[in-house]
Amino acid sequence: MASTPERRGGRVSSPKLRKSLEQAEDFLGLEEQTNRYDLLILVKRAGKAAGFTPRMTELLDYYMSFTREIDWEEGHSPIVYQSISRTALDLGITERQIQRLEQALFEVGAVTWHDSGNHRRYGQRCPETGEILYAYGVDLTPLAYLKEELEQKLARKKAHDRMWMETKRQISWYRRQILSTLAELDGEGGIHIEKVSRLEEAYEEMARPIRTHIGIESLQAMLAAHKELHERVLAVIEDEEKTAISCGKSIKMSFIDATDVVHYNYTNQIQSNELDTGKASPVCFQGRRNSGQGGKSQPEEKREAPPSQSEEKPQQGKFSIADTGLQHITISQALNATSDRFKEHLPLTFDTMSWREFVDAAGRLRPALGISQQSWGNACVALGRTGAAICVLLTDQAALRENDPVTKPAGYFNALVKRAGMGELHLHKSIFGILRREEEASFG
């Protein structure tokens, strides 16, 4: 009867095994500026993308601790000659599990074996130099040849992870938009309850937690579903607005689409354009109110352009928005001065950001700072919507600063508006100061 490899006591040969043995024999040492733990870090970071399970990585990490720098130099070999039984006892698993993990490491090209005749593992180091005099056991040399491949797989994993996180961020953004708009629709008596209920049910079906086990394809499908629902919500608002206009009624607009409507964000009818300080109010989002016109309001000019291009010239002797330096602030500077908390309320991309979208983000952040609807409306009357949004930005930064943070943001916000009425508010200086501090911090 023909003898099997097991009966002969030898390891089953294969092209992969012969190649790994040739690599071990031709090993010229690690590259300069590379040490053995750089390889281990690559393995840990690439992880499953490179075929390494947590158990495999744990065993490789354990074996790496038995090697020394000299083992990874030319003319030497990083061989771990500790017995399988001792390894199994240290890791709290069986000898058979150790053998399976070693085989898995071999399959991904991380190890090979330098076997003795009877597969017994033993060896000896020189007491003076620390180099291995002889050794039989697990050879980690093939791991050195994996460096370039691991770096490529890690780069692909990073790109995948960035895409995953960006997709998750977009889903979160759409969820905030959908929830805020549904809350607004729910309070509108003119909108059919059935429509709102159907939209809420559709949202509940897709509003499951986003966990890392969800694949990128499933996540992208989830994003597409959120986009579609977002469009449906906006379509309901547009239909209701058209119906209201045709019926001669007025409804509250959404944060997303409303721009130059009297009731946008502030519903109290201001009877005079005079502030509590006695100063006159400039043009705001509700329109300029002139006492000589019977309290009727005129529509505000569109504020898509920067403040310096859209504010009307003030009457002589009256307070002007330009007095606050708002015309010196660009949208780019305002965005760079925002906190991470503010950025969570901004649209997905900054490339085509408009002042209107910036104002909408400030309006969504306002409740978190405790700023009331009345205070926001007063700020819009005093400073215009853009100026009020800049004050929200400054209040947010003041509440988040490390030294002497503001504990009552609403009061701080109202104080900014009061200073504007007294002609003592310089918004551009505050924004430039934030940008300067961040620049100094980035350069240490």
Side-chain angles (χ1 to χ4, degrees):
M1 183 177 64
S3 61
T4 63
E6 289 78 5
R7 288 196 178 92
R8 292 196 300 267
R11 194 178 299 277
V12 178
S13 181
S14 67
K16 188 177 184 67
L17 178 60
R18 289 193 295 271
K19 180 181 178 180
S20 68
L21 295 175
E22 291 173 2
Q23 289 176 332
E25 185 176 348
D26 298 336
F27 183 53
L28 299 178
L30 293 178
E31 301 174 353
E32 291 186 9
Q33 310 302 322
T34 301
N35 63 58
R36 65 191 190 280
Y37 282 107
D38 292 334
L39 301 175
L40 184 61
I41 290 173
L42 277 175
V43 168
K44 290 182 176 181
R45 296 183 67 187
K48 291 184 178 180
F52 291 88
T53 65
R55 278 290 195 179
M56 291 165 62
T57 304
E58 180 185 14
L59 180 60
L60 189 62
D61 190 357
Y62 177 82
Y63 281 163
M64 190 70 74
S65 66
F66 285 93
T67 68
R68 303 182 184 180
E69 288 294 336
I70 193 173
D71 299 339
W72 296 88
E73 296 176 358
E74 184 177 0
H76 300 272
S77 298
I79 299 175
V80 180
Y81 50 86
Q82 177 173 263
S83 69
I84 292 181
S85 297
R86 173 56 63 183
T87 301
L89 287 172
D90 285 352
L91 298 183
I93 56 180
T94 66
E95 292 91 336
R96 184 56 180 160
Q97 287 176 304
I98 296 295
Q99 292 172 336
R100 289 173 178 170
L101 290 173
E102 286 184 359
Q103 184 63 33
L105 288 171
F106 167 75
E107 293 298 333
V108 298
V111 304
T112 187
W113 295 273
H114 184 61
D115 290 324
S116 63
N118 60 0
H119 283 216
R120 178 170 164 266
R121 298 182 179 183
Y122 60 95
Q124 183 177 355
R125 287 187 181 274
C126 176
E128 289 78 18
T129 64
E131 64 179 307
I132 294 177
L133 299 178
Y134 59 88
Y136 297 95
V138 181
D139 192 339
L140 307 187
T141 302
L143 182 61
Y145 293 88
L146 279 183
K147 182 174 182 292
E148 184 176 351
E149 181 181 344
L150 287 172
E151 289 174 340
Q152 293 174 355
K153 291 182 177 180
L154 178 59
R156 289 195 293 269
K157 180 179 182 295
K158 286 182 176 180
H160 171 276
D161 292 348
R162 283 196 298 269
M163 181 182 298
W164 195 95
M165 291 300 298
E166 176 60 21
T167 306
K168 178 184 177 183
R169 190 179 74 85
Q170 292 185 31
I171 292 174
S172 299
W173 186 85
Y174 277 110
R175 284 184 174 180
R176 287 195 299 270
Q177 301 302 310
I178 292 169
L179 285 174
S180 63
T181 310
L182 284 177
E184 183 179 348
L185 288 174
D186 195 42
E188 291 297 336
I191 297 180
H192 295 297
I193 297 178
E194 293 80 3
K195 290 183 180 180
V196 178
S197 297
R198 285 195 297 270
L199 292 173
E200 290 177 343
E201 290 175 0
Y203 176 78
E204 290 297 330
E205 291 178 359
M206 67 177 65
R208 59 191 179 104
I210 302 176
R211 306 300 185 194
T212 54
H213 70 270
I214 301 177
I216 185 64
E217 294 81 8
S218 300
L219 207 61
Q220 289 174 339
M222 190 183 298
L223 174 60
H226 279 76
K227 287 182 178 179
E228 189 272 336
L229 180 58
H230 184 244
E231 292 172 357
R232 287 171 55 190
V233 172
L234 294 184
V236 170
I237 289 182
E238 291 175 359
D239 291 343
E240 293 299 326
E241 289 173 356
K242 291 177 182 178
T243 301
I245 293 173
S246 63
C247 296
K249 298 179 181 180
S250 174
I251 67 170
K252 184 169 61 179
M253 304 288 285
S254 83
F255 270 125
I256 300 172
D257 289 337
T259 53
D260 306 318
V261 181
V262 170
H263 296 288
Y264 176 49
N265 274 346
Y266 186 53
T267 57
N268 292 338
Q269 299 296 319
I270 307 299
Q271 300 301 322
S272 170
N273 67 343
E274 297 295 321
L275 297 175
D276 293 339
T277 58
K279 302 283 185 178
S281 171
V283 177
C284 70
F285 79 105
Q286 289 187 317
R288 184 175 50 201
R289 302 180 182 277
N290 294 322
S291 58
Q293 295 180 348
K296 295 182 179 180
S297 63
Q298 299 298 326
E300 179 199 17
E301 293 185 12
K302 193 174 183 180
R303 293 187 55 82
E304 291 295 323
S308 58
Q309 300 177 16
S310 59
E311 298 289 355
E312 293 187 357
K313 294 182 180 180
Q315 300 176 4
Q316 188 173 4
K318 300 292 185 179
F319 164 73
S320 166
I321 292 180
D323 294 339
T324 66
L326 189 59
Q327 73 276 17
H328 300 304
I329 304 173
T330 66
I331 182 67
S332 176
Q333 290 169 336
L335 291 173
N336 289 331
T338 58
S339 67
D340 292 338
R341 178 167 63 180
F342 197 113
K343 287 184 175 68
E344 291 179 356
H345 299 277
L346 291 169
L348 302 178
T349 58
F350 289 172
D351 297 339
T352 58
M353 181 75 66
S354 67
W355 280 108
R356 191 196 75 175
E357 291 167 324
F358 183 86
V359 171
D360 289 347
R364 287 188 286 271
L365 175 61
R366 171 187 61 77
L369 297 172
I371 300 172
S372 67
Q373 185 79 20
Q374 178 72 35
S375 296
W376 170 258
N378 291 338
C380 289
V381 171
L383 295 164
R385 294 178 62 222
T386 305
I390 294 294
C391 286
V392 171
L393 184 159
L394 297 178
T395 302
D396 179 47
Q397 287 284 17
L400 294 175
R401 63 194 179 198
E402 294 183 2
N403 298 325
D404 191 24
V406 169
T407 57
K408 296 182 179 179
Y412 185 90
F413 178 83
N414 292 332
L416 291 177
V417 177
K418 184 175 181 180
R419 287 175 56 193
M422 300 171 63
E424 298 177 355
L425 184 64
H426 306 290
L427 296 175
H428 63 303
K429 293 183 179 179
S430 298
I431 293 296
F432 296 162
I434 293 173
L435 295 176
R436 184 171 58 254
R437 288 193 297 273
E438 292 184 353
E439 182 179 0
E440 292 173 352
S442 65
F443 286 100

